[in-house]
Amino acid sequence: MITKFNDLGQPIIQLTQDDYEQAKKIVKEIDELSKKLKHNPNKYDLPDNLLYASTLQGVLGEITVAKYFDYEFKYLGYDPKRSDVLGYQVRSTYYSNGCLLTHPVKTVENLGGDNLGRYILVTIDQMTLKATLRGYSTLTRCNQRKSNWNTANRWPCFFMPQNQLWPIDMLPATDELIKHQTAKAA
């Protein structure tokens, strides 16, 4: 499903209009389930239009990672313990030079934090729907770099630049990915 690789050897996935429509449908499902469960997915107090755009961007990134692994992506409902795709967490941005954003680890005292795991950065060109898998890092590694901590934006978090990410082709397989690949091979 890889369209091509960029000059850095990063895979570029061409998303389709069907992928975009699927993402819009999933955003609607997320919104409906959140209302039904009385769950507030808007932990950063975004205006409704920005919450929609942010959620759509995130789902497009998840669809990209699923396509990279030849996995049929579907919304599985709300589960704060579940990873985004096949055991990985996905962060996406429309900025080609964007950073991998992470928050301090989730604890009893910090319920809004991030789960431990491997985080993949996807950048998406809004005009062409070409998505690039820029690399990955572990949450622990992202959050150990004090120089990446940024409080200048509205929501303080860690900003890991792309040049600090490990290449996507070095991404270790998760149990979920191995299970998927084994099933595909059978």
Side-chain angles (χ1 to χ4, degrees):
M1 199 45 73
I2 298 172
T3 303
K4 61 181 181 173
F5 293 90
N6 65 13
D7 293 342
L8 298 173
Q10 298 166 330
I12 301 172
I13 309 292
Q14 178 63 64
L15 298 175
T16 65
Q17 188 62 37
D18 287 344
D19 296 327
Y20 188 77
E21 294 303 321
Q22 177 190 11
K24 289 185 352 185
K25 181 181 171 200
I26 290 171
V27 171
K28 185 177 180 183
E29 289 177 45
I30 291 169
D31 183 54
E32 289 170 356
L33 183 60
S34 294
K35 288 176 182 170
K36 183 178 177 181
L37 296 175
K38 294 181 174 46
H39 171 259
N40 180 14
N42 193 358
K43 63 183 178 181
Y44 303 115
D45 297 323
L46 294 170
D48 288 345
N49 62 333
L50 289 180
L51 176 61
Y52 177 88
S54 175
T55 306
L56 180 66
Q57 173 185 287
V59 173
L60 287 170
E62 292 169 2
I63 290 171
T64 299
V65 172
K67 288 177 88 103
Y68 177 72
F69 290 118
D70 193 24
Y71 173 71
E72 185 180 333
F73 182 76
K74 52 189 150 212
Y75 180 57
L76 301 174
Y78 175 72
D79 182 350
K81 295 177 185 165
R82 184 179 23 244
S83 62
D84 294 329
V85 179
L86 294 172
Y88 302 105
Q89 301 295 351
V90 180
R91 296 291 159 88
S92 28
T93 180
Y94 293 130
Y95 297 101
S96 62
N97 64 345
C99 296
L100 176 62
L101 306 184
T102 58
H103 298 88
V105 69
K106 183 183 287 188
T107 62
V108 174
E109 297 83 26
N110 179 26
L111 294 176
D114 285 337
N115 292 323
L116 290 172
R118 294 177 184 96
Y119 284 72
I120 299 171
L121 176 62
V122 177
T123 61
I124 303 165
D125 183 315
Q126 285 182 281
M127 300 303 291
T128 64
L129 288 181
K130 286 185 179 177
T132 306
L133 282 83
R134 298 293 180 170
Y136 80 98
S137 187
T138 63
L139 179 68
T140 302
R141 181 172 170 261
C142 288
N143 293 1
Q144 284 176 339
R145 296 177 180 243
K146 300 300 180 205
S147 61
N148 291 348
W149 180 249
N150 186 327
T151 59
N153 65 332
R154 187 171 172 185
W155 306 284
C157 61
F158 292 92
F159 284 64
M160 180 171 266
Q162 292 179 25
N163 65 3
Q164 292 179 6
L165 298 175
W166 291 314
I168 202 73
D169 62 358
M170 293 177 58
L171 183 68
T174 61
D175 291 340
E176 295 93 328
L177 177 60
I178 293 168
K179 183 179 175 184
H180 163 68
Q181 290 174 332
T182 303
K184 276 285 204 195

